[in-house]
């Protein structure tokens, strides 16, 4: 019996993505003394860094800015020896079959690793209408859990008719006096149970067959301009906030064909965050799951690092 001969490689783990999932994986992996590189996009930012205030991350009762929280994640990871590179990952391919070795191409470098943790996140799909980008953080939101409490006793509109829109509209009734759901068709896509709850909730009203043409306001949002898709009539709806839930898109293009994904491109994992490719794990918003929050992304990061550690341990300890 002889020890397996691992081919030359640069890192035990390469983590792709610099949000809460990636950095938490980095903290756990580096602390486990695994040689770990985190590659974060040179030109992209994690959703969390554009989140004004996070009030629901446990242990921080007074809330914290998203950017500030991310700086703390990073500081903690660096303390344990995580290496960080600011490069866009352009390709990931298998470099050898037995043992499996992965090659991550980023910027002008190629890193060879025993394991890869995909933590690339997702971005809310935007409507792309005038005023939307301008009022982000000043009335336009893509997260009711994050921003709902700011709309106590106010009027908000919710755009979209899927599970997320209706679930979040129901959640917003805990705070807002009025929740106006604007949907482009005359029936919801959301599950029947959610629909029934929404129809029974007196704070929720619906504007059917309408598309949002613009989000209006001065310093803050004051309303939305909607167009009736049947008559073409344009009207204004007054509101203090506009919550947009028209789907979400994961940043997983680079991994297409390498790991199993659902029809939208979210990576499918088992409960230990293993994908169907050996040594590739996925964590955070880029994976197919129910609840996407900073705390669940961090939990995913820890789990993925642990699974990668077990996988690497097995690989290094394997005997022929
Ligand atoms: P989704 O199911 O893709 O629904 C998106 C909604 O936005 C649809 O109603 C769609 O209208 C509308 N929409 C899309 N583009 C639009 C545009 N440009 N202008 C106006 N409206 C637009 O997305 P989701 O609700 O975020 O759900 C994503 C996945 O997560 C789904 O599989 C969902 O079942 C799942 N999910 C499940 C739960 C749960 O409680 N089980 C909760 C949340 C999410 P149309 O209907 O006309 O296409």
């Amino acid at each position: 019996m002889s020890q397996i001969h691992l081919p030359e490689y640069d890192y035990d783990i390469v983590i792709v993505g610099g949000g809460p999932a990636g950095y938490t994986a980095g903290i756990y992996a580096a602390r486990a003394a695994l040689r770990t590189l985190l590659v974060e996009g040179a030109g992209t930012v994690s959703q969390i860094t554009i989140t004004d205030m996070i009030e629901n991350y446990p242990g921080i009762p007074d809330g914290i800015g998203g950017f500030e929280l991310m700086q703390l994640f990073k500081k903690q990871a660096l303390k344990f020896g995580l290496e960080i590179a600011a490069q866009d990952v352009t390709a990931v391919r298998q470099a050898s079959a037995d043992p499996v070795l992965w090659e991550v191409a980023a910027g002008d470098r190629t890193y060879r690793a025993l394991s890869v943790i995909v933590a690339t996140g997702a971005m809310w799909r935007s409507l792309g209408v005038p005023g939307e980008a301008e009022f982000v953080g000043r009335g336009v939101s893509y997260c009711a859990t994050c921003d709902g409490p700011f709309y106590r006793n106010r009027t908000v509109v919710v755009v979209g008719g899927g599970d997320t829109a209706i679930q979040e509209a129901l959640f917003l009734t805990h705070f807002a006096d009025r929740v106006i759901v604007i949907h482009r068709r005359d029936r919801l896509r959301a599950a029947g149970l959610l629909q029934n709850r929404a129809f029974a909730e007196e704070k929720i009203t619906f504007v059917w067959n309408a598309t949002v043409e613009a989000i209006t306001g001065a310093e803050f949002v004051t309303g939305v301009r909607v167009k009736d898709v049947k008559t073409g009539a344009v009207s204004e709806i007054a509101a203090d906030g506009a919550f947009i839930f028209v789907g979400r898109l994961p940043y997983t293009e680079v991994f297409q064909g390498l790991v199993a994904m659902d029809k939208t491109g979210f990576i499918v994992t088992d409960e230990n965050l293993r994908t169907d490719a050996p040594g590739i794990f996925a964590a955070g918003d880029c994976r197919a799951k129910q609840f996407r929050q900073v705390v669940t992304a961090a939990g995913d990061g820890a789990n993925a690092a642990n699974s990668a550690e077990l996988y690497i341990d097995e690989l290094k300890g394997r005997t022929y």
Side-chain angles (χ1 to χ4, degrees), residues 63-284:
I64 186 168
F67 181 78
E68 197 185 345
L69 180 59
M70 225 39 252
Q71 293 303 107
L72 294 174
F73 274 64
K74 193 166 184 169
K75 184 175 173 190
Q76 197 168 353
L78 285 168
K79 189 176 103 179
F80 294 121
L82 178 72
E83 292 182 45
I84 300 168
Q87 290 157 334
D88 290 318
V89 170
T90 51
V92 178
R93 44 191 173 251
Q94 195 172 329
S96 71
D98 189 20
V100 173
L101 202 65
W102 297 101
E103 224 167 52
V104 179
D108 57 356
R109 296 288 311 274
T110 298
Y111 306 104
R112 291 185 141 218
L114 298 179
S115 171
V116 176
I117 295 176
V118 188
T120 44
M123 194 38 100
W124 296 104
R125 187 183 273 154
S126 59
L127 283 171
V129 298
E132 183 180 12
E134 187 188 336
F135 288 113
V136 167
R138 294 186 293 129
V140 169
S141 173
Y142 301 87
C143 178
T145 312
C146 316
D147 298 327
F150 299 121
Y151 293 89
R152 220 171 273 282
N153 309 123
R154 318 282 285 273
T155 296
V156 297
V157 298
V158 165
V159 186
D163 281 337
T164 305
I166 301 310
Q167 191 165 291
E168 303 298 271
L170 285 162
F171 179 76
L172 285 166
T173 62
H174 298 159
F175 312 101
D177 276 348
R178 285 190 70 202
V179 179
I180 304 164
V181 176
I182 302 170
H183 187 36
R184 63 182 177 183
R185 291 188 292 141
D186 62 357
R187 61 206 305 205
L188 298 173
R189 179 182 291 278
L193 184 79
L194 286 173
Q195 293 196 27
N196 292 342
R197 281 192 196 143
F199 294 146
E201 170 54 63
E202 59 184 22
K203 284 185 176 178
I204 297 181
T205 54
F206 293 85
V207 177
W208 301 107
N209 299 311
T211 52
V212 171
E213 300 293 294
I215 292 166
T216 53
E219 196 185 344
F220 295 96
V221 165
T222 55
V224 293
R225 186 172 308 137
V226 294
K227 185 165 109 185
D228 185 311
V229 295
K230 297 216 156 144
T231 65
V234 173
S235 59
E236 298 277 339
I237 297 174
D240 305 296
F243 286 80
I244 296 160
F245 302 113
V246 293
R248 211 185 313 218
L249 301 171
Y251 292 118
T252 52
E253 248 177 66
V254 161
F255 299 90
Q256 286 280 355
L258 212 58
V259 295
M261 295 178 185
D262 70 9
K263 63 181 188 323
T264 316
F266 289 102
I267 297 173
V268 175
T269 67
D270 68 8
E271 64 174 345
N272 295 315
L273 307 196
R274 290 181 292 223
T275 69
D276 61 343
I280 301 192
F281 304 83

